[in-house]
Amino acid sequence: MRELETFSSWVKDRHEYAKDWKKRTGGRVLGYFCTYVPEEILYAAGVLPVRVLGSHEPQNVTEPHIFGMFCPFCRDCLAQGLKGRYSYLDGLMIAQSCLHIRQAYTSWVLHIPIGFSYYLCMPHKVQSKRSYKFLRGELETFKNAVEKWTGRKIEEAALREAIQVYNENRRLMRQLFDLRKREEPPISGEEAMTISLAEQMVDKKEHNAALKELLGKLPQRKRERPTGTRLMIVGSEDDDLAFLHMVENLNKDQYPATFVIDEHCTGTRYFWNEAPEDSDPLMAIARRYIERPPCPSKDWEERKRIPHILQLARDFKVQGAIVMQQKFCDPHELDTVAIRKALEKEGIKTLFLEFDVTVPAGQFRIRVEAFLETLKQEDLF
């Protein structure tokens, strides 16, 4: 489908896109770690925020800078910087989430020359009533730093426009994902993940335009294969398109399967909720990031993540869930047992897989095929 190819090309040629965007606009590009970074402030300053992601290739350049027991995603991201693949970046930042990704950020800033770097103190205890005022203050300080870096005053009108552009993107993504509730979703999990990844790499206005074009035709699309088992993928960062492709094309005749929803930070957690547009813009941005579906490092004292996962599973009629985590990811490891118990109590079977920089395709293929066979047998008997 031609409209889908746009998103695939953005993901495949992400670095070329960012370089071309700089030439076209004269703006600056900032790489960021973690989806708690308030992109709206950067966008209002004419900066393109680009999420730093790995390449899923074996590497041997990070050992002098970061422990081997740190998660593979962090090491893969740092490797991209050390290899010069993000040499076009004008700045780099992180919002506090976990220690592993913070170490990747710190090593990058120490060893790779960069014009601007920023550590945003995103609170962990987001459920505290004081977190709103605290984060608003941090956002004000960050806005001032961006203004000094770019030499451009960020007016309130620009902030409001950035919020509107980002909210429109979130609404369009929700419309797209709602199509996956259908008995026969017009889009695969691999395609949905591609679109979600692209929105973290390109100008939101361009992504919005492409989404509108896609949504104009996608509802009429008939896929040339059965949906099969409706799967959910839950866990930590996951941009492994090859894995989703493998599962959805594993044994299409005997055990067809389609990912119909996800719960991870390169998917729904990135875009699920909007910022309110009727209040102080900085407080609106603070509210949006405090009230978004949480990652495990911020999901306490009340556990809000598991009820959210269960609601997604019900809404999208999930029959089986693959619960994954990046190897050595402590926050997600602590959540995994409770998530699997909660899903299985709802009658949704789970399969746990631990991801590394590269996926052991042979092992995963056998385990996923056995999982799908088990689910199919339950349907038969």
Side-chain angles (χ1 to χ4, degrees), residues 99-114:
L99 290 176
H100 290 194
I101 198 71
R102 184 174 172 182
Q103 180 62 40
Y105 163 78
T106 303
S107 294
W108 188 311
V109 172
L110 280 174
H111 300 289
I112 305 167
I114 193 90

Side-chain angles (χ1 to χ4, degrees), residues 65-333:
H65 309 291
I66 194 168
F67 290 120
M69 58 160 285
F70 278 35
C71 89
F73 172 65
C74 301
R75 288 184 277 118
D76 199 7
C77 287
L78 178 59
Q80 304 313 302
L82 293 169
K83 289 180 176 180
R85 290 176 178 168
Y86 283 92
S87 58
Y88 54 86
L89 292 182
D90 302 295
L92 189 75
M93 74 171 292
I94 188 172
Q96 175 60 32
S97 55
C98 77
L99 290 176
H100 290 194
I101 198 71
R102 184 174 172 182
Q103 180 62 40
Y105 163 78
T106 303
S107 294
W108 188 311
V109 172
L110 280 174
H111 300 289
I112 305 167
I114 193 90
F116 173 79
S117 60
Y118 197 89
Y119 165 78
L120 179 77
C121 190
M122 175 74 205
H124 276 319
K125 192 172 171 56
V126 294
Q127 294 179 19
S128 166
K129 62 182 181 183
R130 290 182 284 274
S131 64
Y132 294 90
K133 186 177 179 182
F134 175 84
L135 183 55
R136 193 207 177 280
E138 290 296 316
L139 296 181
E140 181 89 54
T141 304
F142 173 56
K143 183 172 84 72
N144 293 338
V146 173
E147 288 176 340
K148 185 177 179 181
W149 171 47
T150 59
R152 174 175 172 172
K153 178 75 174 173
I154 302 174
E155 303 291 350
E156 182 174 320
L159 270 181
R160 291 193 184 280
E161 184 189 352
I163 290 171
Q164 289 170 359
V165 170
Y166 271 69
N167 278 348
E168 181 180 26
N169 188 255
R170 291 160 183 149
R171 281 194 292 274
L172 292 169
M173 288 297 292
R174 289 288 295 267
Q175 286 178 34
L176 174 74
F177 272 49
D178 278 349
L179 294 174
R180 303 170 75 191
K181 292 177 180 174
R182 292 181 175 183
E183 189 174 340
E184 296 292 337
I187 190 169
S188 70
E190 180 189 359
E191 290 166 337
M193 180 185 278
T194 301
I195 296 168
S196 183
L197 289 174
E199 72 171 329
Q200 296 162 59
M201 301 168 179
V202 305
D203 189 315
K204 284 290 188 292
K205 283 185 179 176
E206 294 179 24
H207 197 265
N208 287 348
L211 268 177
K212 287 175 186 173
E213 189 177 358
L214 176 64
L215 286 167
K217 297 184 179 177
L218 193 62
Q220 293 80 43
R221 184 191 192 201
K222 302 291 183 187
R223 296 182 66 217
E224 297 175 354
R225 50 154 291 176
T227 301
T229 303
R230 300 175 68 89
L231 293 175
M232 178 181 201
I233 185 163
V234 181
S236 51
E237 185 280 336
D238 177 26
D239 62 325
D240 203 324
L241 291 166
F243 173 74
L244 267 69
H245 180 83
M246 185 269 284
V247 173
E248 293 187 322
N249 294 278
L250 191 59
N251 193 335
K252 289 187 284 188
D253 295 328
Q254 253 187 309
Y255 309 118
T258 303
F259 286 102
V260 294
I261 189 61
D262 70 73
E263 196 278 335
H264 50 68
C265 73
T266 34
T268 57
R269 286 208 299 272
Y270 176 75
F271 65 79
W272 205 247
N273 69 319
E274 298 181 23
E277 296 183 19
D278 58 350
S279 60
D280 162 43
L282 287 179
M283 182 56 83
I285 295 169
R287 282 183 59 188
R288 192 267 160 187
Y289 287 89
I290 284 171
E291 296 173 1
R292 55 162 272 187
C295 89
S297 67
K298 302 186 190 301
D299 191 26
W300 53 283
E301 297 158 333
E302 181 186 347
R303 301 292 296 276
K304 296 185 175 181
R305 186 175 172 227
I306 292 176
H308 175 63
I309 291 170
L310 293 178
Q311 191 59 53
L312 288 176
R314 295 182 197 115
D315 291 345
F316 288 81
K317 299 179 178 62
V318 169
Q319 296 169 298
I322 293 180
V323 181
M324 55 75 62
Q325 72 169 61
Q326 295 287 332
K327 195 174 182 179
F328 305 130
C329 177
D330 294 336
H332 279 278
E333 191 165 13

